[in-house]
Amino acid sequence: MTDPQLPGWAVPPPEGFTADDLDHLADLPAHTELIDGSLVFVSPQQDFHSVIVDLLVTGIRRSLPKAFRVRRQMSVVLGPRQRPEPDVVVLRAEALTGPDVTAYQADDVVLAVEVVSPDSETRDRERKPQLYAAAGIRHFWRIEQNGGRATVYVYELDPATKAYALTGIHHDKLQLSVPFEIDVDLTEIERL
């Protein structure tokens, strides 16, 4: 028997939650993710996290081809029991079906970006990249803080192994030609 003082999501069903459940659970904390059928609650963000996400979204928007859109902190359905919320996603423009969308499908995502926080190191470095790769998301960036500055680890999906391969590590400048041309001055974080 459940405690009437606890919200319905405090006790998971025996088979775990599903991606669809996230839209229907009352009073669920903001930015709750679903990883392997379990709810994951996000700790308050550190300033670095917020600023680097803003810097990336602005930089990506400046050079984004018309066929794509960039969003921050929107969940992505990777499977029935997987609905993480990347810090930044680039998706195909046709995936935008209206203002009430709460999640995107993995097939529409071109790039997923995670900014590593102390409470999410294992998820951001290991589990989420595994899930994104298994879902076929071709590009993944992981951002780490090093003394207040950003280091961006860039990965591309290897179609033969269905795993990410590291294609570059960027410290002061993020300059890439795939999945689209981008040039972001990472040192700008010091002025924000």
PDB file of all heavy atoms in Angstrom, residues 2 8 19 32 36 40 46 49 57 68 73 83 90 96 134 140 146 149 159 163 169 180 182 188:
ATOM      1  N   THR A   2       0.552   2.236  -0.827  1.00  0.00           N
ATOM      2  CA  THR A   2       1.360   3.453  -0.900  1.00  0.00           C
ATOM      3  C   THR A   2       0.888   4.458   0.128  1.00  0.00           C
ATOM      4  O   THR A   2      -0.273   4.495   0.513  1.00  0.00           O
ATOM      5  CB  THR A   2       1.293   4.080  -2.304  1.00  0.00           C
ATOM      6  OG1 THR A   2      -0.056   4.432  -2.573  1.00  0.00           O
ATOM      7  CG2 THR A   2       1.808   3.120  -3.360  1.00  0.00           C
ATOM      8  N   GLY A   8       2.273  10.019  -6.620  1.00  0.00           N
ATOM      9  CA  GLY A   8       2.154   8.737  -7.302  1.00  0.00           C
ATOM     10  C   GLY A   8       3.447   8.243  -7.916  1.00  0.00           C
ATOM     11  O   GLY A   8       3.672   7.035  -8.016  1.00  0.00           O
ATOM     12  N   ALA A  19       8.382   6.170 -21.257  1.00  0.00           N
ATOM     13  CA  ALA A  19       8.570   7.526 -21.787  1.00  0.00           C
ATOM     14  C   ALA A  19       7.261   8.297 -21.782  1.00  0.00           C
ATOM     15  O   ALA A  19       7.234   9.492 -21.475  1.00  0.00           O
ATOM     16  CB  ALA A  19       9.155   7.455 -23.196  1.00  0.00           C
ATOM     17  N   THR A  32      12.887  16.311 -15.043  1.00  0.00           N
ATOM     18  CA  THR A  32      13.031  14.908 -14.663  1.00  0.00           C
ATOM     19  C   THR A  32      13.307  14.093 -15.916  1.00  0.00           C
ATOM     20  O   THR A  32      12.657  14.273 -16.942  1.00  0.00           O
ATOM     21  CB  THR A  32      11.759  14.394 -13.968  1.00  0.00           C
ATOM     22  OG1 THR A  32      11.541  15.163 -12.780  1.00  0.00           O
ATOM     23  CG2 THR A  32      11.871  12.923 -13.609  1.00  0.00           C
ATOM     24  N   ASP A  36      16.532   4.064 -18.192  1.00  0.00           N
ATOM     25  CA  ASP A  36      16.313   2.649 -17.876  1.00  0.00           C
ATOM     26  C   ASP A  36      15.051   2.438 -17.037  1.00  0.00           C
ATOM     27  O   ASP A  36      15.031   1.601 -16.134  1.00  0.00           O
ATOM     28  CB  ASP A  36      17.540   2.063 -17.167  1.00  0.00           C
ATOM     29  CG  ASP A  36      18.792   2.159 -18.019  1.00  0.00           C
ATOM     30  OD1 ASP A  36      18.680   2.040 -19.252  1.00  0.00           O
ATOM     31  OD2 ASP A  36      19.881   2.370 -17.452  1.00  0.00           O
ATOM     32  N   VAL A  40      14.997  10.167 -12.936  1.00  0.00           N
ATOM     33  CA  VAL A  40      16.242  10.789 -12.491  1.00  0.00           C
ATOM     34  C   VAL A  40      15.946  12.261 -12.297  1.00  0.00           C
ATOM     35  O   VAL A  40      15.488  12.943 -13.220  1.00  0.00           O
ATOM     36  CB  VAL A  40      17.370  10.600 -13.533  1.00  0.00           C
ATOM     37  CG1 VAL A  40      18.626  11.323 -13.090  1.00  0.00           C
ATOM     38  CG2 VAL A  40      17.644   9.116 -13.763  1.00  0.00           C
ATOM     39  N   GLN A  46      24.834  24.541 -11.779  1.00  0.00           N
ATOM     40  CA  GLN A  46      25.910  25.457 -11.429  1.00  0.00           C
ATOM     41  C   GLN A  46      25.967  26.545 -12.499  1.00  0.00           C
ATOM     42  O   GLN A  46      25.493  26.358 -13.622  1.00  0.00           O
ATOM     43  CB  GLN A  46      27.239  24.718 -11.355  1.00  0.00           C
ATOM     44  CG  GLN A  46      27.292  23.717 -10.227  1.00  0.00           C
ATOM     45  CD  GLN A  46      28.611  22.972 -10.192  1.00  0.00           C
ATOM     46  OE1 GLN A  46      29.343  22.896 -11.173  1.00  0.00           O
ATOM     47  NE2 GLN A  46      28.914  22.405  -9.031  1.00  0.00           N
ATOM     48  N   HIS A  49      27.370  25.602 -15.946  1.00  0.00           N
ATOM     49  CA  HIS A  49      26.429  24.816 -16.751  1.00  0.00           C
ATOM     50  C   HIS A  49      25.485  25.733 -17.519  1.00  0.00           C
ATOM     51  O   HIS A  49      25.319  25.606 -18.737  1.00  0.00           O
ATOM     52  CB  HIS A  49      25.650  23.879 -15.819  1.00  0.00           C
ATOM     53  CG  HIS A  49      24.816  22.876 -16.530  1.00  0.00           C
ATOM     54  ND1 HIS A  49      23.602  23.187 -17.081  1.00  0.00           N
ATOM     55  CD2 HIS A  49      25.028  21.561 -16.762  1.00  0.00           C
ATOM     56  CE1 HIS A  49      23.087  22.102 -17.630  1.00  0.00           C
ATOM     57  NE2 HIS A  49      23.934  21.102 -17.456  1.00  0.00           N
ATOM     58  N   VAL A  57      24.112  27.403 -27.439  1.00  0.00           N
ATOM     59  CA  VAL A  57      22.863  27.632 -28.174  1.00  0.00           C
ATOM     60  C   VAL A  57      23.008  28.853 -29.079  1.00  0.00           C
ATOM     61  O   VAL A  57      22.641  28.820 -30.254  1.00  0.00           O
ATOM     62  CB  VAL A  57      21.664  27.771 -27.209  1.00  0.00           C
ATOM     63  CG1 VAL A  57      20.432  28.296 -27.927  1.00  0.00           C
ATOM     64  CG2 VAL A  57      21.357  26.425 -26.549  1.00  0.00           C
ATOM     65  N   PHE A  68      17.593  22.805 -39.832  1.00  0.00           N
ATOM     66  CA  PHE A  68      17.735  22.368 -38.444  1.00  0.00           C
ATOM     67  C   PHE A  68      17.256  23.435 -37.466  1.00  0.00           C
ATOM     68  O   PHE A  68      17.175  24.617 -37.803  1.00  0.00           O
ATOM     69  CB  PHE A  68      19.200  22.038 -38.130  1.00  0.00           C
ATOM     70  CG  PHE A  68      19.782  20.975 -39.002  1.00  0.00           C
ATOM     71  CD1 PHE A  68      20.847  21.258 -39.843  1.00  0.00           C
ATOM     72  CD2 PHE A  68      19.289  19.684 -38.996  1.00  0.00           C
ATOM     73  CE1 PHE A  68      21.410  20.290 -40.649  1.00  0.00           C
ATOM     74  CE2 PHE A  68      19.839  18.702 -39.798  1.00  0.00           C
ATOM     75  CZ  PHE A  68      20.901  19.005 -40.631  1.00  0.00           C
ATOM     76  N   GLN A  73      17.409  21.772 -23.195  1.00  0.00           N
ATOM     77  CA  GLN A  73      16.707  21.044 -22.139  1.00  0.00           C
ATOM     78  C   GLN A  73      15.310  20.581 -22.536  1.00  0.00           C
ATOM     79  O   GLN A  73      14.337  20.835 -21.850  1.00  0.00           O
ATOM     80  CB  GLN A  73      16.674  21.890 -20.872  1.00  0.00           C
ATOM     81  CG  GLN A  73      18.081  22.182 -20.383  1.00  0.00           C
ATOM     82  CD  GLN A  73      18.126  23.166 -19.245  1.00  0.00           C
ATOM     83  OE1 GLN A  73      17.429  24.168 -19.262  1.00  0.00           O
ATOM     84  NE2 GLN A  73      18.971  22.878 -18.270  1.00  0.00           N
ATOM     85  N   ARG A  83      14.021   8.292 -21.806  1.00  0.00           N
ATOM     86  CA  ARG A  83      13.660   9.650 -22.211  1.00  0.00           C
ATOM     87  C   ARG A  83      14.544  10.651 -21.470  1.00  0.00           C
ATOM     88  O   ARG A  83      14.115  11.359 -20.571  1.00  0.00           O
ATOM     89  CB  ARG A  83      12.172   9.910 -21.944  1.00  0.00           C
ATOM     90  CG  ARG A  83      11.686  11.220 -22.523  1.00  0.00           C
ATOM     91  CD  ARG A  83      10.183  11.320 -22.470  1.00  0.00           C
ATOM     92  NE  ARG A  83       9.740  12.697 -22.471  1.00  0.00           N
ATOM     93  CZ  ARG A  83       8.490  13.087 -22.338  1.00  0.00           C
ATOM     94  NH1 ARG A  83       7.534  12.182 -22.205  1.00  0.00           N
ATOM     95  NH2 ARG A  83       8.184  14.350 -22.334  1.00  0.00           N
ATOM     96  N   VAL A  90      20.171  19.480 -31.412  1.00  0.00           N
ATOM     97  CA  VAL A  90      19.922  20.015 -32.744  1.00  0.00           C
ATOM     98  C   VAL A  90      19.072  18.972 -33.437  1.00  0.00           C
ATOM     99  O   VAL A  90      19.398  17.786 -33.423  1.00  0.00           O
ATOM    100  CB  VAL A  90      21.237  20.263 -33.519  1.00  0.00           C
ATOM    101  CG1 VAL A  90      20.942  20.650 -34.965  1.00  0.00           C
ATOM    102  CG2 VAL A  90      22.052  21.360 -32.831  1.00  0.00           C
ATOM    103  N   LEU A  96       9.456  19.890 -35.506  1.00  0.00           N
ATOM    104  CA  LEU A  96       8.692  20.867 -34.726  1.00  0.00           C
ATOM    105  C   LEU A  96       7.252  20.852 -35.202  1.00  0.00           C
ATOM    106  O   LEU A  96       6.923  21.377 -36.260  1.00  0.00           O
ATOM    107  CB  LEU A  96       9.298  22.260 -34.874  1.00  0.00           C
ATOM    108  CG  LEU A  96      10.761  22.378 -34.456  1.00  0.00           C
ATOM    109  CD1 LEU A  96      11.269  23.777 -34.721  1.00  0.00           C
ATOM    110  CD2 LEU A  96      10.928  22.004 -33.005  1.00  0.00           C
ATOM    111  N   ALA A 134      22.923   3.982 -29.317  1.00  0.00           N
ATOM    112  CA  ALA A 134      22.013   2.874 -29.619  1.00  0.00           C
ATOM    113  C   ALA A 134      20.771   3.363 -30.363  1.00  0.00           C
ATOM    114  O   ALA A 134      20.203   2.630 -31.181  1.00  0.00           O
ATOM    115  CB  ALA A 134      21.612   2.157 -28.332  1.00  0.00           C
ATOM    116  N   PHE A 140      27.422  13.516 -30.945  1.00  0.00           N
ATOM    117  CA  PHE A 140      27.314  13.738 -29.507  1.00  0.00           C
ATOM    118  C   PHE A 140      28.493  14.582 -29.059  1.00  0.00           C
ATOM    119  O   PHE A 140      29.634  14.332 -29.465  1.00  0.00           O
ATOM    120  CB  PHE A 140      27.315  12.395 -28.758  1.00  0.00           C
ATOM    121  CG  PHE A 140      27.395  12.531 -27.262  1.00  0.00           C
ATOM    122  CD1 PHE A 140      26.333  13.027 -26.527  1.00  0.00           C
ATOM    123  CD2 PHE A 140      28.555  12.167 -26.585  1.00  0.00           C
ATOM    124  CE1 PHE A 140      26.419  13.163 -25.152  1.00  0.00           C
ATOM    125  CE2 PHE A 140      28.646  12.297 -25.205  1.00  0.00           C
ATOM    126  CZ  PHE A 140      27.573  12.797 -24.492  1.00  0.00           C
ATOM    127  N   ASN A 146      36.917  22.795 -16.866  1.00  0.00           N
ATOM    128  CA  ASN A 146      38.311  22.709 -16.427  1.00  0.00           C
ATOM    129  C   ASN A 146      38.737  24.092 -15.967  1.00  0.00           C
ATOM    130  O   ASN A 146      39.036  24.959 -16.792  1.00  0.00           O
ATOM    131  CB  ASN A 146      39.216  22.225 -17.571  1.00  0.00           C
ATOM    132  CG  ASN A 146      38.993  20.769 -17.896  1.00  0.00           C
ATOM    133  OD1 ASN A 146      38.989  19.937 -17.001  1.00  0.00           O
ATOM    134  ND2 ASN A 146      38.770  20.463 -19.154  1.00  0.00           N
ATOM    135  N   ARG A 149      36.787  26.924 -17.462  1.00  0.00           N
ATOM    136  CA  ARG A 149      36.770  26.952 -18.929  1.00  0.00           C
ATOM    137  C   ARG A 149      36.186  25.649 -19.452  1.00  0.00           C
ATOM    138  O   ARG A 149      36.186  24.634 -18.760  1.00  0.00           O
ATOM    139  CB  ARG A 149      38.178  27.175 -19.455  1.00  0.00           C
ATOM    140  CG  ARG A 149      38.688  28.537 -18.954  1.00  0.00           C
ATOM    141  CD  ARG A 149      39.952  28.953 -19.513  1.00  0.00           C
ATOM    142  NE  ARG A 149      39.797  29.409 -20.896  1.00  0.00           N
ATOM    143  CZ  ARG A 149      40.810  29.862 -21.591  1.00  0.00           C
ATOM    144  NH1 ARG A 149      41.999  29.912 -21.057  1.00  0.00           N
ATOM    145  NH2 ARG A 149      40.636  30.248 -22.826  1.00  0.00           N
ATOM    146  N   PRO A 159      29.092   3.758 -37.803  1.00  0.00           N
ATOM    147  CA  PRO A 159      27.988   2.891 -38.214  1.00  0.00           C
ATOM    148  C   PRO A 159      28.313   1.399 -38.116  1.00  0.00           C
ATOM    149  O   PRO A 159      27.420   0.581 -37.962  1.00  0.00           O
ATOM    150  CB  PRO A 159      27.709   3.304 -39.663  1.00  0.00           C
ATOM    151  CG  PRO A 159      28.898   4.070 -40.115  1.00  0.00           C
ATOM    152  CD  PRO A 159      29.593   4.585 -38.895  1.00  0.00           C
ATOM    153  N   ALA A 163      28.759   2.618 -32.037  1.00  0.00           N
ATOM    154  CA  ALA A 163      29.294   3.288 -30.852  1.00  0.00           C
ATOM    155  C   ALA A 163      29.922   4.606 -31.294  1.00  0.00           C
ATOM    156  O   ALA A 163      30.276   4.777 -32.464  1.00  0.00           O
ATOM    157  CB  ALA A 163      30.334   2.411 -30.164  1.00  0.00           C
ATOM    158  N   ILE A 169      38.963  17.045 -29.500  1.00  0.00           N
ATOM    159  CA  ILE A 169      38.858  17.671 -28.178  1.00  0.00           C
ATOM    160  C   ILE A 169      39.170  19.145 -28.393  1.00  0.00           C
ATOM    161  O   ILE A 169      40.227  19.485 -28.933  1.00  0.00           O
ATOM    162  CB  ILE A 169      39.838  17.040 -27.170  1.00  0.00           C
ATOM    163  CG1 ILE A 169      39.558  15.544 -27.024  1.00  0.00           C
ATOM    164  CG2 ILE A 169      39.726  17.750 -25.818  1.00  0.00           C
ATOM    165  CD1 ILE A 169      40.585  14.803 -26.189  1.00  0.00           C
ATOM    166  N   PHE A 180      27.412  20.331 -39.202  1.00  0.00           N
ATOM    167  CA  PHE A 180      27.261  21.551 -39.989  1.00  0.00           C
ATOM    168  C   PHE A 180      28.434  22.445 -39.623  1.00  0.00           C
ATOM    169  O   PHE A 180      29.142  22.183 -38.656  1.00  0.00           O
ATOM    170  CB  PHE A 180      25.917  22.255 -39.702  1.00  0.00           C
ATOM    171  CG  PHE A 180      25.607  22.378 -38.242  1.00  0.00           C
ATOM    172  CD1 PHE A 180      26.100  23.442 -37.489  1.00  0.00           C
ATOM    173  CD2 PHE A 180      24.858  21.414 -37.596  1.00  0.00           C
ATOM    174  CE1 PHE A 180      25.844  23.540 -36.133  1.00  0.00           C
ATOM    175  CE2 PHE A 180      24.591  21.507 -36.233  1.00  0.00           C
ATOM    176  CZ  PHE A 180      25.086  22.574 -35.508  1.00  0.00           C
ATOM    177  N   ILE A 182      30.404  25.164 -37.917  1.00  0.00           N
ATOM    178  CA  ILE A 182      30.223  25.893 -36.658  1.00  0.00           C
ATOM    179  C   ILE A 182      31.568  26.414 -36.195  1.00  0.00           C
ATOM    180  O   ILE A 182      32.595  25.765 -36.376  1.00  0.00           O
ATOM    181  CB  ILE A 182      29.559  25.017 -35.572  1.00  0.00           C
ATOM    182  CG1 ILE A 182      29.261  25.847 -34.322  1.00  0.00           C
ATOM    183  CG2 ILE A 182      30.404  23.812 -35.251  1.00  0.00           C
ATOM    184  CD1 ILE A 182      28.347  25.188 -33.349  1.00  0.00           C
ATOM    185  N   GLU A 188      34.743  32.879 -24.700  1.00  0.00           N
ATOM    186  CA  GLU A 188      33.723  33.885 -24.452  1.00  0.00           C
ATOM    187  C   GLU A 188      33.000  33.664 -23.112  1.00  0.00           C
ATOM    188  O   GLU A 188      32.421  34.562 -22.542  1.00  0.00           O
ATOM    189  CB  GLU A 188      32.713  33.901 -25.596  1.00  0.00           C
ATOM    190  CG  GLU A 188      31.796  35.087 -25.594  1.00  0.00           C
ATOM    191  CD  GLU A 188      30.879  35.115 -26.799  1.00  0.00           C
ATOM    192  OE1 GLU A 188      31.278  34.625 -27.877  1.00  0.00           O
ATOM    193  OE2 GLU A 188      29.759  35.621 -26.657  1.00  0.00           O
TER     194      GLU A 188
END
